[in-house]
Amino acid sequence: MEHMEVNKNAPQLYVRTPEDVKAIVRHAKLDERQLTQCTQALYYPSADIVADNIRLLELDGHMLQQIRNGQSLYFKGGLHEKLVLCTDERTYDVKGAEISNSLLLVPDLKFAASTSTSPLKSPRTSNANSSLERSLNDSAEDELEVPRTLDQRKVLGIFHEYFECRQIQPRYRKLGELLQMTRFSGSENEEFIERKLLFSFQQLLDTVQCSRAEFVEGLRQYRALEFNGYLRVLDYEYEYRIVNLMLGLISENSWQLDEVQREETIAALEGIAPESIVAGLFDIYTVPSVRCPEKFKYQEELVARIVAQNILQPGLRFRNEEFMSTWQDALPEGMTCRIEYLRGLGICDKEGAQPCIRSLAEEHLPTTIHERMRALFKTKRKWTLEEMEPYIECFTTPTLSVSTLLAKHARCLTEAGVRYYVSKH
Amino acid sequence: MPILVKTHSSQQTPEWAIIELQGDLEVRSNQDMHDQFIGDLSYNKYGQPILIIGHHILQGREQKLDKPFAVLEKSKTNEGQQLLANVDATLDATTLNTTGAERTLLDNTVALEHKSRQRTEYTVRAICTKKLIFKSRPKPIIANVAKSV
C-alpha cells in the first residue's frame, strides 16, 4: 500500500482460480469438505481508488439510526474551533484514533452465513451430537463433491485510523456572545446597533456548534426571539420593563394566573414595544393554560429569574432575608420566589457572619473547566455539589457527570457531615 | 459553514465488511501492489473465517462491532480544505482560548466567507456492523513434506 508509484510495465494481473484455492487448501492440510462452498479471493485496491477520500467514522446507536433513516449529519466548526459532528438532535466531539491493526475495508464481502448453502453448524450442537450421527452426516456429504465457487473481492482501502465520536453538551457560548452584541433595548436605540452583527436563524444555526434541536433549545434558554428577520435577545432592563408591563395586566384585568390572554396582552402593549417583541416574549414566558383553553399561564421560574436578575446586579450582595423579601414583593401575586430559581444567576454565601446572596452569572465565567474552577473557588472557598452544579454542568457528557468532573478538578472534604468541594491547590 | 454528510435511506446504504488483521500487510519488494492478489478467505462449516495469505494461514472469527463504522467519502472538489484532516490542527487553536466576542465574531465572518467557496461534502457510502478479526499469529503452511513411504 505504501508504494504508490505505478509500474508502467506491470505484468499481466494474476487472477485466482478455484483450482489454485483447492491446491492451497490441500497444502494447508485443511479438509475442503469442512469449508463452505464459496471462497473469496482478496485483492489490493486499484490505483484509481483514492483512499484519502474515504474515512471511517465510528457510530453510536443514535447516529446509526439517523443514517439508516436517511438523515443528514453535519460537521461544524469555525476556523478556531474544534470540530463537532451534529445529527439533527445531538452534538459529538470528533477525534482521530490510530490503531496498529490494519482494517481492510471490503465492499460486498460475504460473511460466513451467505457462503454456505446449508445452515452453519453451531459448535455446541455438533459437540452434543453423537459422534455416530455426525459421521453419518459427514459421510453423506463426502459422496457428492461440491464444486468450489470463487468470488473475486477488491479491498477498497486499508486503514490504520478512524474517527471516534463522543457525545457532548451543545456549545452555546458563541450563540450567547453573538446575541449579546446586538441586545434589543427599544426601537429608538436600533440606530446604534451594528447591522453587520445581526444574524438570522439559519446563519446562527450554521455557525453555532450544536444540532438543530439543541439550537432551538438554546434559543429558548437565551430567550432569543425573532425581530425583523434577525434573532435578538433583549437588554435585561428592557426585558424586565416589558415583562413587568405584561404581568401588570393580570391584576388590571383581574385575570387568574392561568387565564392570561395573548391577543389582549399584545394589544395592550401596542405603541410601547414592537408587536413582534411582545408576541415573542409572551411565547417565551407563557405556557398554554391547562384549565382554560386558548388561555395562558406565565412560567413562574422565568418570571422570577428576570426579576431576580434585575435586582441582583453584578457586584451587588444582599442579606439573605432582605433579598428574598425584595424579590417576593416584585413578583405578581400568587407567584413565589424560590432560591433554586437563582440557578446560574447568583449564589448564597454562608461563609461570612451574615449569609448573603450575590450575583454570579454563569454566562460571564471562563469557558474552560480549569479557569472556571479557579474563578469559582476565588469567589467562594467551599461549595456543595448542588451549588457547583449549575456552573459545571456545561462540561458534562453522558459519561462524565458533575461529580466525576469535581473529583478530578477539586478536592473534597467533609465538615459537620456536609460534603464540600474546595480548590485543589 | 457546516459540512454536509449526506446519507441515503437504509435500502441504499449497503453493508460492507471490515477485515481486521494484527499488524500490517507488507511486501518485501517495492512493488506496486495495486490490484495484486492478497489471499483466500474461506469459512469452515461452523462459520469460522480462515484466511490464507501466501504460505500463512490465519484463523479468525466473525464479530459484531460494538460501535459500527460509517464509510464516508469526500466529494471530489478542488476547493475547500479537507476538514477532517484538520481536526488535529484545530485542536491547538482552540486550547489557546483567546477570550470574548472578538474571537467568535472572527470565526463567524470566516465562516461566512467560506460559505461562498467551500463545497466539500461527504457521503455515507456504506455501513459496517460486522468484522472478521484475525487476532492469532499466522501459522506457516509447510507444503512439500516428503511423503513417508
Side-chain angles (χ1 to χ4, degrees):
Chain A
M1 266 308 284
E2 285 85 56
H3 320 295
M4 299 295 277
E5 70 264 30
V6 178
N7 186 355
K8 289 279 184 293
N9 315 316
Q12 196 65 43
L13 281 173
Y14 169 64
V15 178
R16 197 85 173 146
T17 64
E19 287 65 43
D20 297 335
V21 177
K22 280 171 185 280
I24 192 78
V25 164
R26 254 196 322 278
H27 285 314
K29 297 177 193 69
L30 292 172
D31 182 356
E32 203 193 323
R33 288 162 309 182
Q34 286 302 312
L35 301 179
T36 57
Q37 287 85 348
C38 178
T39 292
Q40 300 172 85
L42 304 174
Y43 296 84
Y44 276 101
S46 308
D48 58 340
I49 301 285
V50 187
D52 279 358
N53 280 337
I54 309 269
R55 303 280 165 171
L56 293 179
L57 177 75
E58 201 181 63
L59 307 171
D60 69 2
H62 168 75
M63 294 164 97
L64 180 66
Q65 200 50 52
Q66 294 282 313
I67 290 175
R68 290 243 156 103
N69 292 344
Q71 294 284 331
S72 298
L73 311 179
Y74 296 92
F75 286 111
K76 280 183 168 187
L79 199 57
H80 298 293
E81 290 171 326
K82 199 169 173 305
L83 190 74
V84 300
L85 178 64
C86 302
T87 66
D88 192 52
E89 293 156 34
R90 297 187 189 170
T91 307
Y92 294 86
D93 178 58
V94 185
K95 220 164 47 186
E98 272 189 45
I99 44 168
S100 58
N101 284 4
S102 309
L103 300 177
L104 279 60
L105 181 64
V106 196
D108 310 315
L109 188 82
K110 284 179 181 159
F111 285 102
S114 47
T115 59
S116 174
T117 47
S118 51
L120 293 170
K121 293 177 187 173
S122 82
R124 205 180 299 127
T125 54
S126 76
N127 288 338
N129 276 350
S130 74
S131 56
L132 177 69
E133 194 187 328
R134 196 169 67 204
S135 59
L136 279 176
N137 279 342
D138 283 358
S139 61
E141 281 164 315
D142 281 354
E143 285 157 23
L144 52 149
E145 173 93 358
V146 189
R148 180 138 302 270
T149 58
L150 180 67
D151 288 353
Q152 316 284 345
R153 298 269 177 256
K154 205 154 263 183
V155 172
L156 191 76
I158 300 177
F159 297 87
H160 289 101
E161 57 173 23
Y162 56 90
F163 290 96
E164 54 182 17
C165 299
R166 190 171 51 97
Q167 198 190 344
I168 50 166
Q169 296 287 331
R171 301 202 171 131
Y172 287 145
R173 169 66 62 138
K174 187 165 165 186
L175 175 64
E177 282 174 0
L178 288 172
L179 288 172
Q180 283 299 323
M181 287 189 294
T182 57
R183 284 193 302 267
F184 182 86
S185 57
S187 302
E188 65 278 14
N189 295 323
E190 279 298 88
E191 55 180 304
F192 304 113
I193 299 291
E194 175 79 70
R195 308 299 297 173
K196 275 191 211 128
L197 300 181
L198 292 173
F199 302 104
S200 68
F201 180 95
Q202 194 59 45
Q203 282 174 318
L204 282 177
L205 173 60
D206 283 350
T207 188
V208 175
Q209 291 192 295
C210 64
S211 68
R212 193 201 48 81
E214 288 163 332
F215 181 72
V216 171
E217 168 61 24
L219 292 180
R220 210 185 52 78
Q221 275 182 28
Y222 282 99
R223 301 192 303 279
L225 45 84
E226 200 162 302
F227 178 65
N228 290 344
Y230 297 111
L231 286 177
R232 305 290 292 273
V233 291
L234 306 186
D235 185 74
Y236 292 139
E237 281 172 38
Y238 180 81
E239 180 173 343
Y240 174 69
R241 196 152 60 83
I242 304 298
V243 170
N244 221 10
L245 288 170
M246 288 160 67
L247 292 169
L249 296 171
I250 299 177
S251 58
E252 217 169 281
N253 295 307
S254 318
W255 288 331
Q256 293 293 310
L257 280 178
D258 59 355
E259 1 172 284
V260 177
Q261 295 180 29
R262 190 172 188 271
E263 302 312 316
E264 209 133 318
T265 304
I266 293 169
L269 271 85
E270 205 192 314
I272 301 172
E275 187 183 320
S276 56
I277 296 283
V278 181
L281 274 180
F282 190 89
D283 296 337
I284 291 166
Y285 274 86
T286 62
V287 287
S289 169
V290 184
R291 199 168 55 92
C292 319
E294 308 284 304
K295 293 189 180 167
F296 298 85
K297 180 181 193 293
Y298 283 98
Q299 301 184 63
E300 186 176 87
E301 177 167 2
L302 283 181
V303 172
R305 281 174 70 90
I306 186 71
V307 172
Q309 219 167 342
N310 198 60
I311 305 170
L312 203 61
Q313 304 281 346
L316 291 186
R317 56 168 63 210
F318 293 86
R319 288 222 327 270
N320 225 342
E321 316 81 68
E322 196 184 330
F323 176 79
M324 294 305 273
S325 69
T326 317
W327 192 14
Q328 181 62 63
D329 291 347
L331 288 179
E333 213 162 307
M335 289 194 189
T336 340
C337 62
R338 295 181 208 207
I339 197 87
E340 302 93 87
Y341 291 162
L342 283 183
R343 189 183 173 80
L345 291 179
I347 47 166
C348 183
D349 192 343
K350 294 178 192 128
E351 273 173 42
Q354 279 280 359
C356 66
I357 300 226
R358 60 194 159 94
S359 150
L360 183 64
E362 194 271 327
E363 58 187 22
H364 294 140
L365 287 172
T367 45
T368 61
I369 187 152
H370 290 285
E371 284 176 53
R372 183 169 289 208
M373 284 288 182
R374 197 175 309 152
L376 287 174
F377 288 121
K378 215 167 134 189
T379 37
K380 188 166 128 126
R381 201 181 65 85
K382 54 180 193 182
W383 296 70
T384 64
L385 180 68
E386 293 71 41
E387 285 170 340
M388 281 205 109
E389 203 169 17
Y391 299 103
I392 301 299
E393 66 187 356
C394 61
F395 298 108
T396 58
T397 67
T399 51
L400 216 57
S401 67
V402 171
S403 39
T404 349
L405 283 170
L406 284 177
K408 189 175 170 200
H409 296 276
R411 200 152 53 87
C412 173
L413 55 89
T414 312
E415 272 176 28
V418 184
R419 183 182 285 237
Y420 290 103
Y421 289 92
V422 296
S423 171
K424 237 179 166 179
H425 309 290
Chain B
M1 189 61 188
I3 293 179
L4 176 68
V5 181
K6 283 193 290 193
T7 57
H8 304 292
S9 58
S10 52
Q11 293 83 13
Q12 289 154 303
T13 310
E15 178 96 10
W16 288 359
I18 283 189
I19 297 177
E20 182 169 341
L21 301 177
Q22 210 160 34
D24 278 319
L25 284 175
E26 282 189 8
V27 278
R28 212 167 290 170
S29 59
N30 272 9
Q31 206 188 340
D32 165 38
M33 290 313 287
H34 292 303
D35 300 309
Q36 297 291 323
F37 172 68
I38 300 174
D40 291 327
L41 175 71
S42 310
Y43 297 94
N44 71 16
K45 298 255 158 158
Y46 302 108
Q48 185 187 32
I50 296 164
L51 182 61
I52 300 176
I53 301 181
H55 51 77
H56 284 109
I57 179 162
L58 294 97
Q59 304 209 322
R61 64 196 166 89
E62 188 174 311
Q63 202 174 59
K64 195 171 168 291
L65 290 165
D66 283 340
K67 291 184 163 183
F69 283 114
V71 180
L72 304 188
E73 185 178 35
K74 194 173 96 170
S75 305
K76 288 199 172 65
T77 45
N78 299 320
E79 288 175 295
Q81 287 171 312
Q82 203 174 317
L83 193 72
L84 276 170
N86 287 340
V87 171
D88 295 323
T90 51
L91 237 163
D92 300 329
T94 40
T95 43
L96 288 176
N97 188 40
T98 37
T99 47
E102 217 173 330
R103 193 197 78 213
T104 50
L105 185 61
L106 192 71
D107 285 344
N108 193 64
T109 42
V110 167
L112 290 177
E113 275 169 31
H114 280 183
K115 192 184 279 185
S116 49
R117 52 193 172 91
Q118 199 167 38
R119 281 282 166 268
T120 309
E121 262 184 11
Y122 286 85
T123 308
V124 177
R125 285 284 303 276
I127 300 277
C128 305
T129 59
K130 281 193 281 188
K131 69 177 174 187
L132 302 178
I133 179 160
F134 294 90
K135 279 199 285 203
S136 57
R137 241 183 138 66
K139 290 193 197 78
I141 296 172
I142 302 158
N144 297 320
V145 185
K147 293 221 170 70
S148 54
V149 188

